[in-house]
Amino acid sequence: MSALLRLDDLHRSYGSTVAVDGLSLEVASGEVLGLLGPNGAGKSTTIGMIAGLLRPDRGAVVIDGRGGPEDPEIRRLLGLAPQSLALYDELTARENLKLFAELYDLRGSGGRERVQELLVAVGLDTRADDRVAAFSGGMKRRLNLAVALLHRPRLLLLDEPTVGVDPQSRSSIIELIRTIAGGGTTVVYSTHYMEEAQRICDRVAIVDHGKLLDIDTVDSLIDRHGGKPILRTIKGGEETRLRTDDPVRELTALFAAGGLESVRIDRPDLEAVFLALTGRTLRDV
Amino acid sequence: MSSLRAVRALAVKDLRLLLRDRGALFFTLGFPLLMGLAFGWIFGGGGSKSRSDLDIAVFDRDGSAPSRAFIDELGGEGSGIATAPATDLDACVAAVRTREAIACVVLEEGFGRASDAFFAGGPMRLGVHIDPSRGAEGGLLTGKLTALSYQRMQSLFSGESEALKRARMVIDQGDAPPALKSALSDLYTSIERLNEGDEGQDEKQDEKQDEKQDEKQADDGQTDDDSEPESGGFQPVVITTSEVRAERSGPPNAFAVSFPQGIIWGLMSCVMSFSASLVRERTQGTMVRLMIAPLAPAAILAAKSLACFLTCILLQVLMIAFAVVVFDLTVSAPFEMAVAMICSALAFVGVTVLIAGLSRSEEGADGLGRSVLLLLALFGGGTIPIFVMPPAMAAAASISPFKWASVAIEGALWRGFSLAELALPLGILLAFGVGGFIVGVLAMRRRGAG
Ligand SMILES: Nc1ncnc2c1ncn2[C@@H]1O[C@H](COP(=O)(O)OP(=O)(O)O)[C@@H](O)[C@H]1O
Ligand SMILES: [Mg+2]
């Protein structure tokens, strides 16, 4: 599969703060790529450069093998749900969608139908004519996503699309993204929630301090950096942790010894990968 | 998408946002109106003196009893006209020039003789010198003068006056010259018509006569007292009008001052709300969406500017229209007024872009921008009208774009400025518009690239 998006040695600083520091990666057409990193890792800056909102100090963004986002025709391929909500509070949900639909040439009955379709898709059809100002955080996030989807972009850039939402909105957002990805849309999904990255992404790029630490499928990352599974046992009220390549063999031996009160095997996850790569946990930062 | 469509969609959005922002809406349209009303009433514009009494200077060149009687009748109780005698023609015309009177009426020599004996002398001759900007009052006055003349004749004929007796005799004897006979029958027709109360037709005739006179004057540019009416019929009164340009000494009433002041505050509020809304696009993140939409970057600013421009125009039109309809103001230079409105709208679009470009945050546009604007508006005619400011203060106010908007709007509203006279304020307004726009865009560019 050819790369729909290629980042070539991207650099970007704000004054003396280096936000993105030599980032290179490729996203295949139809792929869902996660950008996983703590706050301040440079995810939003990276997405801003992909969308053409920020100019890289060095390096290049190439979309569809054609060129950068400076070209309005190439920007047309992009849909963006910014991390900071980008909605007119004093307009209704429908008016927000209608405005951006018009800016993407979706007018008349076709435009109206598309707007209605998305209102239903994000579960806002019953509140379509209420002002956004009256919406909950979750509803705003869903609308923010809907606006990005209006013109059926080929490359969807989602910057922390579930920040600050209730669990219900979170699952509905994640479900919607999976549906869209299933339809062949290429997605770049930035998050600092490893569960989300694990659930949604074909591959995950781990970033910290503006650098790409590794990029691969979740399984391969865990294999490479996650370390051994941890066998946790409680015996006589005391917990023992044992890192092992073969928890089943170890467990058999422990059972033979007898007296076990509780047993648990922790498979390493992206958290462990991040810890191994940075020496910190995602939750800490 | 076509940029024009995008600009329109975005401008509609901005106007809709303004409509939903009650505060901004109030300060842009409601508050200026209240200012116009309050200041107008406080400074004594509430009375309708200008409506009830037309001040007329009268020069009685004839000095006869009938001419004196005519003058008394003209300024009589309930006539709505206050007459002031002038000692000579110059004084009479000067009264118009200095706006003491809206017109000078001259009763020409032979007026008395003519009014006593229509067929013996010529017609009664009246000269009217009037400021062309007082068209409405001028029409009213000539109408009144004509009606009065006819009434005089009517009373002469209905009473047992010499004139009436002689007239009857002439007609009865039947050997009068045919021309005189025909003139008399015309005269009787007029009188009959007057008696029937068919005034509408009379007025139409008067107007026609005025027009004729006006045309004549346009030709030779001078009052022509000897012009005989061209119609074959006998005409008992000939009114000759000529223009006297009034000096611009003061506004016709307090609302002519207070409404432009209200406009200043409305323009200020317009600048504030649109600069804040431009900054808000950045802070609320919607600018990001607009920037990644396939638009020319200029379309975003163009749309905001268009919405701001339309709001400024709407404000000015509403305010002036209100003053005209409710307070009976006449826009002395309507075309110039349109140009003045457009130029001040452009100026404040520029100021809006400038403030938005220079403020870092919405609060910046609200805070620093607001205080500076407030000062500029205060001293740019928002409180003290420019024309009553001491010269030094008026000079200092020149840094305020509001001053130039005040000057332009007042100039077109009641000073009767021509485009040439308005060139300076209009030029400065355009300079504020273009300059503010350029500096504002450069500031935004620098920030955007940062
Ligand atoms: N506009 C800005 N001005 C200055 N520093 C910034 C700006 N935006 C981001 N940064 C800094 O750049 C780094 C990366 O930020 P960002 O890309 O927002 O990270 P993330 O989205 O991963 O949280 C952080 O250290 C942040 O403080
Ligand atoms: Mg971010």
Side-chain angles (χ1 to χ4, degrees):
Chain A
M1 235 185 243
S2 62
L4 183 67
L5 172 67
R6 201 176 80 230
L7 307 184
D8 239 354
D9 194 30
L10 283 183
H11 284 80
R12 171 73 199 206
S13 303
Y14 298 100
S16 60
T17 311
V18 180
V20 173
D21 192 5
L23 192 72
S24 299
L25 56 80
E26 288 196 356
V27 185
S29 185
E31 187 181 17
V32 179
L33 177 82
L35 280 182
L36 181 66
N39 283 328
K43 305 182 296 292
S44 294
T45 305
T46 303
I47 286 188
M49 287 190 284
I50 299 172
L53 298 167
L54 296 167
R55 213 170 300 145
D57 297 335
R58 191 138 55 84
V61 173
V62 181
I63 295 165
D64 199 26
R66 287 197 268 166
E70 316 78 54
D71 181 350
E73 282 314 305
I74 288 180
R75 281 211 302 278
R76 208 178 264 277
L77 306 176
L78 304 179
L80 168 68
Q83 177 177 0
S84 50
L85 292 165
L87 302 165
Y88 294 101
D89 270 358
E90 293 311 316
L91 298 184
T92 66
R94 195 189 301 281
E95 286 167 343
N96 268 286
L97 284 166
K98 198 171 152 271
L99 169 66
F100 289 106
E102 275 180 66
L103 298 185
Y104 281 96
D105 271 337
L106 297 163
R107 278 186 302 276
S109 62
R112 275 197 298 279
E113 277 163 30
R114 181 67 180 148
V115 166
Q116 185 59 31
E117 201 175 301
L118 282 164
L119 284 166
V120 172
V122 297
L124 287 174
D125 47 325
T126 56
R127 301 290 304 274
D129 298 308
D130 291 352
R131 289 193 199 176
V132 172
F135 283 7
S136 70
M139 294 164 78
K140 287 183 184 173
R141 278 282 157 209
R142 283 184 272 153
L143 182 59
N144 201 42
L145 176 60
V147 177
L149 299 175
L150 270 171
H151 60 294
R152 298 190 171 86
R154 281 181 61 197
L155 175 59
L156 187 57
L157 306 171
L158 305 175
D159 196 358
E160 310 231 16
T162 62
V163 166
V165 308
D166 51 291
Q168 227 174 325
S169 284
R170 175 183 299 237
S171 5
S172 93
I173 287 172
I174 288 176
E175 272 323 299
L176 181 59
I177 293 167
R178 286 168 75 111
T179 312
I180 292 158
T185 303
T186 310
V187 180
V188 173
Y189 187 102
S190 109
T191 184
H192 65 274
Y193 298 119
M194 56 147 201
E195 304 88 349
E196 285 181 10
Q198 240 158 341
R199 256 179 88 181
I200 301 180
C201 302
D202 299 322
R203 287 193 305 154
V204 173
I206 310 254
V207 289
D208 193 30
H209 295 308
K211 285 198 165 76
L212 178 66
L213 301 182
D214 202 353
I215 176 170
D216 214 326
T217 61
V218 174
D219 286 342
S220 305
L221 286 171
I222 291 174
D223 282 350
R224 207 149 48 234
H225 307 287
K228 300 164 183 171
I230 299 171
L231 181 61
R232 288 160 58 164
T233 54
I234 297 177
K235 189 174 174 179
E238 264 192 27
E239 194 193 54
T240 331
R241 290 162 163 247
L242 180 66
R243 281 189 181 273
T244 168
D245 278 325
D246 195 348
V248 179
R249 191 168 55 90
E250 295 289 343
L251 198 56
T252 318
L254 283 168
F255 266 123
L260 281 183
E261 286 150 34
S262 149
V263 172
R264 199 171 127 199
I265 299 170
D266 280 352
R267 261 190 56 74
D269 54 14
L270 286 175
E271 186 67 59
V273 172
F274 190 79
L275 183 69
L277 286 170
T278 66
R280 291 172 296 145
T281 69
L282 267 168
R283 280 180 238 280
D284 288 347
V285 262
Chain B
M1 104 174 270
S2 102
S3 285
L4 278 182
R5 280 225 190 85
V7 169
R8 198 186 57 191
L10 291 171
V12 166
K13 175 263 298 174
D14 281 317
L15 293 174
R16 186 173 278 159
L17 287 175
L18 177 69
L19 279 179
R20 299 220 173 135
D21 184 345
R22 296 244 175 88
L25 193 61
F26 171 73
F27 279 106
T28 306
L29 296 177
F31 183 69
L33 189 59
L34 290 181
M35 284 280 307
L37 294 174
F39 274 33
W41 272 312
I42 290 169
F43 294 112
S48 46
K49 180 181 175 282
S50 62
R51 289 205 82 166
S52 63
D53 275 357
L54 297 179
D55 289 316
I56 307 293
V58 182
F59 172 49
D60 185 0
R61 206 196 289 275
D62 194 44
S64 62
S67 70
R68 277 194 292 275
F70 184 88
I71 294 170
D72 288 345
E73 256 178 275
L74 181 64
E77 193 95 358
S79 66
I81 289 178
T83 55
T87 49
D88 55 25
L89 183 61
D90 285 348
C92 189
V93 171
V96 180
R97 194 165 287 130
T98 58
R99 288 186 183 272
E100 275 163 52
I102 70 139
C104 152
V105 172
V106 182
L107 284 72
E108 300 294 354
E109 242 164 274
F111 184 92
R113 198 162 16 95
S115 75
D116 264 353
F118 303 97
F119 41 84
M124 294 189 279
R125 290 176 191 281
L126 290 167
V128 174
H129 302 261
I130 188 160
D131 177 7
S133 73
R134 312 298 290 262
E137 290 97 328
L140 203 68
L141 178 64
T142 46
K144 219 150 217 170
L145 290 173
T146 313
L148 261 184
S149 313
Y150 276 100
Q151 268 163 32
R152 256 193 95 62
M153 282 184 289
Q154 191 192 5
S155 69
L156 287 173
F157 280 88
S158 57
E160 285 301 295
S161 74
E162 270 308 295
L164 191 60
K165 278 184 209 150
R166 243 184 291 162
R168 278 198 185 137
M169 212 166 63
V170 169
I171 295 169
D172 292 348
Q173 278 171 0
D175 58 355
L180 180 56
K181 263 193 163 175
S182 118
L184 281 170
S185 81
D186 275 350
L187 182 57
Y188 273 118
T189 316
S190 321
I191 294 166
E192 272 162 22
R193 217 187 287 140
L194 201 71
N195 287 338
E196 285 159 19
D198 190 358
E199 290 192 323
Q201 206 172 332
D202 257 353
E203 269 166 30
K204 248 180 239 154
Q205 248 187 4
D206 296 342
E207 274 167 28
K208 241 185 248 158
Q209 185 181 325
D210 288 348
E211 272 168 29
K212 223 178 281 165
Q213 296 292 353
D214 285 349
E215 273 165 33
K216 217 176 208 21
Q217 257 175 273
D219 285 343
D220 32 12
Q222 252 298 323
T223 311
D224 187 353
D225 283 358
D226 295 329
S227 64
E228 208 63 46
E230 283 143 33
S231 63
F234 177 85
Q235 207 154 4
V237 57
V238 173
I239 299 174
T240 316
T241 56
S242 64
E243 292 188 359
V244 178
R245 259 200 194 271
E247 276 162 13
R248 295 121 188 172
S249 59
N253 69 33
F255 295 105
V257 179
S258 66
F259 271 70
Q261 281 181 304
I263 287 178
I264 293 306
W265 293 104
L267 289 172
M268 185 193 75
S269 160
C270 202
V271 169
M272 282 184 185
S273 43
F274 278 96
S275 56
S277 100
L278 195 46
V279 174
R280 200 174 308 129
E281 299 271 9
R282 277 206 305 263
T283 55
Q284 76 187 351
T286 41
M287 186 61 97
V288 160
R289 274 207 202 289
L290 299 179
M291 279 163 67
I292 71 154
L295 308 172
I300 302 169
L301 199 57
K304 193 70 78 177
S305 304
L306 177 64
C308 179
F309 176 82
L310 291 177
T311 309
C312 288
I313 293 285
L314 179 73
L315 156 79
Q316 297 180 85
V317 169
L318 284 183
M319 289 289 285
I320 296 297
F322 192 96
V324 165
V325 170
V326 176
F327 295 113
D328 215 38
L329 286 182
T330 316
V331 177
S332 63
F335 173 73
E336 286 76 5
M337 176 59 92
V339 178
M341 285 179 176
I342 290 171
C343 289
S344 42
L346 289 174
F348 290 101
V349 167
V351 174
T352 300
V353 173
L354 176 68
I355 290 182
L358 295 182
S359 28
R360 258 158 241 288
S361 64
E362 206 176 318
E363 291 68 44
D366 277 2
L368 178 67
R370 206 161 273 239
S371 355
V372 172
L373 267 181
L374 195 66
L375 275 179
L376 289 177
L378 277 174
F379 293 105
T383 46
I384 307 173
I386 301 291
F387 71 96
V388 299
M389 278 185 186
M393 190 176 173
S398 299
I399 58 159
S400 169
F402 294 107
K403 166 186 168 167
W404 300 105
S406 304
V407 169
I409 290 167
E410 280 175 4
L413 180 60
W414 54 264
R415 291 170 188 236
F417 276 10
S418 65
L419 271 187
E421 286 167 298
L422 284 173
L424 180 68
L426 295 182
I428 291 176
L429 284 172
L430 288 179
F432 267 109
V434 173
F437 197 87
I438 289 174
V439 175
V441 168
L442 288 180
M444 285 180 206
R445 281 252 173 93
R446 172 180 279 189
R447 195 190 316 278

